[in-house]
Amino acid sequence: MPTVPSRARLTAARVEAFACPPGKSQAFLWDTDAPALAVRATPTGRKTYTFESRLHGKTLRLSIGDVRAWTLAAARAEATRLTLLVDSGTDPREQKRQHEAEQAAQAAALAAQAVTVGEAWAAYLADRRPHWGERHYSDHEALARAGGQSAVRGTRGRGVTVAGPLHPLMSQPLRELTTPAIEAWAQREGRTRPTVARLAWRLLRAFLAWCSEHPDYRAAVPERNPAKSRRAREALGKPQAKDDALLKEQLPGWFAAVQAIRNPAQSAYLQGLLLVGARPGELLGLRWDDMNTQWRGLTIRDKVEGERVIPLTPYVWHLLAGLPRRGQYVFAGEDGDKPMSKPHKAHASACAVAAIDGLTLHGLRRSFGTLSEWLELPAGVVAQIQGHKPSATAEKHYRVRPLDLLRLHHERLEAWILEQAGVQFDAAQQPGKLRAVGG
């Protein structure tokens, strides 16, 4: 077999005829016109154009490409380009990595430009759900939910649900969620439902902060959070402090009207709100398993701390024990699988009978704290029962009140409220056999 030269002027014919000699793992045929260019052949018959030079005292070898994909002229041009880079001290491999990184960044930017607010919002909820409570997660879902669903309750006579304040933004491209767009949204929502829109705005602001840190979405949002706008905040207005609460003198009329409600679960729920001091949603989600009759405790699922245990006071115990068991929830709905709806209408009707204006369900929780001042109960005790965060260093680090100590104060407050309301109640009677009437 004739000896194959190691260097020759490459031609299409020579490239075609070049082969790896038997017994060798590879062979090179170097070009005389472009000295850094060679054809590399392997025993399998594969042939590629190869570049070789020296950079910073070390051999640098790069594959240009398969001879079937590259013409000889194109391979010589590429070898020349790589030679110029090496002669200038530039590593072609590093340049390639930078180029690929730039291409990837451009592709990510293009993808981010196309993503909608709804797509990013769904990713945001999936990412943050392990760190949120159920109430916080459901708020995000409800505020972005589409309307138009048939419903019997909670629609104020419309018969269909109303879209959440964030829903109009969900179909927009994320890149178009600019400060002017958010300000225009705040103007619209602030005119009709400012309270829920303020919550939506706070959630939107946190969402955009998350987008600015996420590699898939940061290219679509500006560095400065577009929701942090003075005009948007002003358009939504300031929340008005609520002051609705029962006066001591109103207790007899309120109890008489609420006890006259024909639905026992609604009646017990409203009385429980006043006597337990829980948030309306917390008490509504009470399960039978949350009642510990041995140690007379109630486990309240707290939106702040996760859960808290408060005393199961005698009157509340009798109220709850007298309710029928229709599933896991104490205040069960008709099907028993979910809690009943909040009895806003029933309470409003009772308040009208008692000539009490503007008292909300949350106002009953506020009444618990207000009425406790008549007995000068320790503020920390009331805060612990209601699930408020401690407001002082001593409360945070040096006050750990057991259930029995809370019960001492809580039962005293319950007895005083019932006395002021004229409710005759024997705490010694069997739970569930309650016979209480307004005086």
Side-chain angles (χ1 to χ4, degrees):
M1 177 180 293
T3 302
V4 178
S6 62
R7 186 173 293 277
R9 184 178 183 279
L10 292 182
T11 62
R14 281 193 174 119
V15 170
E16 178 66 26
F18 183 63
C20 181
K24 290 191 175 184
S25 61
Q26 61 181 353
F28 294 89
L29 177 59
W30 297 95
D31 186 26
T32 55
D33 286 2
L37 177 66
V39 176
R40 175 179 175 269
T42 63
T44 61
R46 184 183 180 190
K47 288 179 281 188
T48 56
Y49 288 116
T50 302
F51 169 83
E52 184 176 300
S53 184
R54 293 187 68 80
L55 179 65
H56 307 311
K58 296 181 180 180
T59 300
L60 173 67
R61 180 180 293 173
L62 300 174
S63 175
I64 294 176
D66 194 290
V67 297
R68 294 170 296 182
W70 285 72
T71 65
L72 180 56
R76 282 199 178 107
E78 179 64 8
T80 302
R81 186 187 70 84
L82 294 173
T83 299
L84 293 175
L85 285 175
V86 172
D87 290 346
S88 67
T90 302
D91 190 335
R93 295 168 299 185
E94 182 61 30
Q95 186 191 58
K96 182 180 180 181
R97 280 192 293 267
Q98 291 178 358
H99 180 66
E100 290 175 347
E102 290 173 358
Q103 286 185 320
Q106 291 175 358
L110 289 174
Q113 296 294 315
V115 72
T116 65
V117 175
E119 291 168 340
W121 183 261
Y124 172 59
L125 266 59
D127 180 62
R128 300 304 301 165
R129 184 167 191 174
H131 309 284
W132 291 343
E134 284 300 318
R135 173 63 182 274
H136 192 57
Y137 180 80
S138 64
D139 282 345
H140 283 77
E141 283 193 316
L143 293 174
R145 187 175 295 145
Q149 299 297 317
S150 298
V152 177
R153 300 176 180 175
T155 64
R156 298 184 180 179
R158 290 181 295 263
V160 294
T161 58
V162 177
L166 291 176
H167 178 70
L169 304 178
M170 293 295 117
S171 61
Q172 296 183 14
L174 182 59
R175 58 185 170 81
E176 293 182 5
L177 205 56
T178 59
T179 296
I182 293 175
E183 289 174 351
W185 167 83
Q187 289 283 351
R188 293 192 304 270
E189 296 296 335
R191 285 193 290 265
T192 56
R193 41 182 175 178
T195 301
V196 69
R198 279 192 294 269
L199 173 59
W201 174 63
R202 292 194 295 271
L203 301 187
L204 181 65
R205 192 172 57 194
F207 160 68
L208 289 170
W210 176 85
C211 287
S212 67
E213 298 175 353
H214 196 283
D216 292 344
Y217 308 112
R218 65 166 64 113
V221 296
E223 289 187 13
R224 186 183 182 280
N225 194 322
K228 290 184 177 180
S229 162
R230 177 177 57 84
R231 290 184 177 180
R233 184 177 66 250
E234 291 176 346
L236 297 172
K238 293 183 179 180
Q240 300 297 317
K242 302 290 176 51
D243 57 2
D244 59 309
L246 278 170
L247 301 177
K248 179 167 68 74
E249 296 79 9
Q250 294 173 324
L251 288 172
W254 184 86
F255 265 94
V258 168
Q259 288 176 346
I261 294 175
R262 299 180 63 179
N263 186 318
Q266 292 181 343
S267 178
Y269 171 75
L270 293 172
Q271 293 176 77
L273 274 184
L274 175 62
L275 297 172
V276 170
R279 299 172 180 87
E282 291 175 346
L283 188 60
L284 199 64
L286 188 70
R287 297 178 171 92
W288 291 110
D289 291 343
D290 296 330
M291 290 178 56
N292 187 328
T293 55
Q294 179 181 2
W295 302 108
R296 289 187 295 156
L298 281 180
T299 299
I300 301 294
R301 302 182 191 283
D302 195 322
K303 76 170 189 177
V304 177
E305 300 295 340
E307 65 179 35
R308 66 184 186 276
V309 180
I310 65 173
L312 176 58
T313 52
Y315 186 77
V316 172
W317 185 5
H318 280 71
L319 286 175
L320 302 185
L323 297 176
R325 297 204 176 200
R326 295 200 309 258
Q328 61 176 326
Y329 291 100
V330 175
F331 304 104
E334 293 182 0
D335 57 4
D337 294 332
K338 296 180 180 179
M340 67 180 187
S341 300
K342 293 178 183 177
H344 292 289
K345 289 184 178 180
H347 185 235
S349 298
C351 287
V353 171
I356 300 172
D357 295 328
L359 181 62
T360 63
L361 297 186
H362 197 87
L364 296 177
R365 169 176 164 83
R366 190 176 295 108
S367 301
F368 178 91
T370 303
L371 293 171
S372 70
E373 295 188 358
W374 282 94
L375 300 183
E376 298 182 348
L377 298 187
V381 169
V382 177
Q384 187 171 334
I385 293 173
Q386 291 196 282
H388 285 145
K389 283 190 174 182
S391 57
T393 300
E395 285 292 331
K396 290 180 181 178
H397 303 290
Y398 301 105
R399 299 288 189 273
V400 182
R401 299 180 183 86
L403 187 61
D404 283 349
L405 181 56
L406 294 179
R407 181 179 294 110
L408 176 70
H409 297 286
H410 198 169
E411 290 186 359
R412 180 174 164 231
L413 176 59
E414 180 184 86
W416 181 85
I417 290 175
L418 295 177
E419 179 186 357
Q420 299 304 310
V423 175
Q424 304 300 317
F425 167 63
D426 180 7
Q429 64 183 301
Q430 182 181 353
K433 303 298 184 182
L434 180 64
R435 293 294 182 269
V437 294

